[in-house]
């Protein structure tokens, strides 16, 4: 579903916006968010980091057009923003690498990846947020490839099935120790939880979820469930497939894309 991004938790204090995405970050001290905004030349894409408490906005140029910087994730500590480098030719997008933005210094480090296998989809953080991941191969049974922060391939895991939300953006558990997919040869109702280090399949279960959105905590996922009631629902599901908590109920006519913001101080 292409749905307007809408936070499930408290409104984030810091936000990053660009021509190709928006992401929020919960309240935590972040040095360097104040300062004089930059005004990049028209031939560059850019992002804007906004401090919602002070109103300060900092503009940071990313890549030169026709390439674009597509916002993917904040790191959990708030220190780094991951962007995919995107290039559209006709109706086809390719993703030749990624960028890491140091929030404190406003510096952008571009990483071009030479691996031609992974240029067909956008980039996400790995579980430790020290590198990145991307997928390649059979679209019905993908392989997940891990890269270090310099863009060097570290390892691959074959036959993971398909991406639960069709994106590498929210694959990993809060600890980074596990990731979730739609199981190989399964449907969107069949969920596989994998060990991020060894590739071992830890859990396999079925649920009423129509689209898994990510991990709620180490023992639960959260997902769209669209068929059980009159409205679409965002539900928390345990690893036995039981829906245990309704987070949001949305009329089918309203187009939303929920984003769960975890508060480390209070748990989920």
């Amino acid at each position: 579903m292409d749905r307007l991004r809408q936070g499930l938790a408290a409104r984030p204090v810091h936000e990053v916006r660009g021509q190709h995405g928006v992401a929020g970050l919960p309240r935590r001290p972040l040095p360097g968010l104040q300062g004089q905004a930059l005004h990049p030349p028209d031939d560059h894409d850019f992002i804007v980091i906004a401090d919602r408490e002070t109103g300060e906005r900092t503009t940071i140029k990313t890549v030169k057009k026709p390439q674009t910087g597509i916002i993917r994730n904040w790191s959990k500590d708030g220190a780094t923003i991951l962007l995919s480098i995107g290039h559209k030719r006709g109706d086809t997008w390719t993703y030749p690498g990624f960028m890491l933005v140091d929030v404190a210094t406003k510096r952008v480090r571009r990483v071009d990846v030479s691996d031609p296998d992974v240029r067909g989809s956008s980039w996400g953080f790995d579980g430790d947020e020290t590198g990145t991941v991307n997928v390649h191969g059979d679209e019905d049974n993908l392989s997940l490839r891990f890269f270090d922060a310099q863009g060097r391939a570290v390892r691959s895991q074959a036959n993971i099935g398909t991406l639960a939300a069709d994106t590498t953006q929210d694959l990993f558990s809060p600890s980074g120790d596990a990731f979730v997919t739609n199981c190989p040869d399964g449907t969107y109702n069949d969920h596989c939880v994998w060990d991020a280090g060894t590739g071992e399949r830890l859990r396999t279960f079925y649920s009423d979820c129509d689209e898994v959105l990510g991990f709620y905590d180490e023992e639960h996922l959260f997902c769209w469930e669209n068929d059980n009631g009159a409205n679409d629902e965002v539900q928390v599901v345990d690893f036995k497939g039981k829906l245990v908590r309704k987070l949001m109920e949305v009329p089918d006519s309203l187009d939303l894309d929920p984003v769960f913001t975890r508060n480390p101080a209070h748990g989920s």
Side-chain angles (χ1 to χ4, degrees):
M1 301 179 187
D2 291 326
R3 296 172 181 264
L4 178 68
R5 296 183 76 81
Q6 175 72 36
L8 289 179
R11 185 185 184 195
V13 172
H14 300 107
E15 181 178 80
V16 56
R17 289 183 176 270
Q19 298 184 65
H20 301 276
V22 56
L25 181 73
R27 180 189 300 269
R28 56 170 62 91
L30 286 179
L33 279 179
Q34 289 86 14
Q36 182 69 33
L38 302 172
H39 299 282
D42 291 341
D43 62 347
H44 279 77
D45 202 359
F46 61 92
I47 62 172
V48 178
I49 299 177
D51 188 315
R52 287 184 165 178
E53 288 186 326
T54 67
E56 294 285 346
R57 297 165 61 86
T58 303
T59 304
I60 303 173
K61 65 181 181 180
T62 54
V63 289
K64 193 171 183 178
K65 296 177 181 179
Q67 292 186 333
T68 59
I70 302 167
I71 298 167
R72 300 295 290 163
N73 297 91
W74 287 92
S75 60
K76 296 183 186 74
D77 63 5
T80 307
I81 302 166
L82 172 68
L83 292 86
S84 277
I85 301 170
H87 194 171
K88 187 178 183 182
R89 292 181 176 90
D91 294 329
T92 302
W93 281 91
T94 57
Y95 305 91
F98 56 90
M99 291 175 286
L100 298 169
V101 181
D102 186 306
V103 176
T105 65
K106 313 299 186 298
R107 294 182 184 275
V108 179
R109 185 163 69 84
R110 175 177 176 140
V111 181
D112 291 291
V113 178
S114 59
D115 188 339
D117 290 342
V118 296
R119 296 195 170 195
S121 59
S122 198
W123 297 81
F125 271 129
D126 65 12
D128 296 329
E129 298 183 337
T130 57
T132 59
V133 293
N134 212 324
V135 292
H136 65 96
D138 183 351
E139 64 180 17
D140 294 322
N141 197 6
L142 295 165
S143 295
L144 184 68
R145 188 163 293 172
F146 292 75
F147 295 80
D148 64 19
Q150 286 69 48
R152 296 182 296 248
V154 177
R155 67 184 188 278
S156 291
Q157 181 173 339
N159 305 319
I160 64 168
T162 59
L163 298 178
D166 200 29
T167 176
T168 57
Q169 194 167 8
D170 297 301
L171 273 180
F172 292 91
S173 64
S175 68
D177 292 340
F179 66 91
V180 62
T181 67
N182 301 323
C183 291
D185 302 318
T187 71
Y188 50 78
N189 301 116
D190 298 299
H191 318 299
C192 281
V193 178
W194 309 83
D195 186 295
T198 67
E200 178 188 359
R201 191 187 302 198
L202 303 174
R203 302 270 188 169
T204 301
F205 63 98
Y206 177 93
S207 81
D208 285 346
C209 292
D210 294 293
E211 181 184 0
V212 169
L213 298 171
F215 280 84
Y216 182 75
D217 57 26
E218 295 294 331
E219 299 295 332
H220 298 83
L221 308 175
F222 73 111
C223 68
W224 278 110
E225 194 293 304
N226 302 327
D227 305 315
N228 289 353
N231 295 321
D232 296 342
E233 297 174 354
V234 177
Q235 288 270 3
V236 176
V237 58
D238 66 19
F239 287 169
K240 295 182 180 180
K242 181 180 179 181
L243 303 178
V244 297
R245 181 182 177 187
K246 185 194 299 184
L247 299 176
M248 179 186 289
E249 188 170 346
V250 182
D252 190 56
S253 59
L254 188 61
D255 211 18
L256 293 173
D257 184 6
V259 178
F260 175 60
T261 302
R262 183 173 293 101
N263 188 333
H266 298 93
S268 299

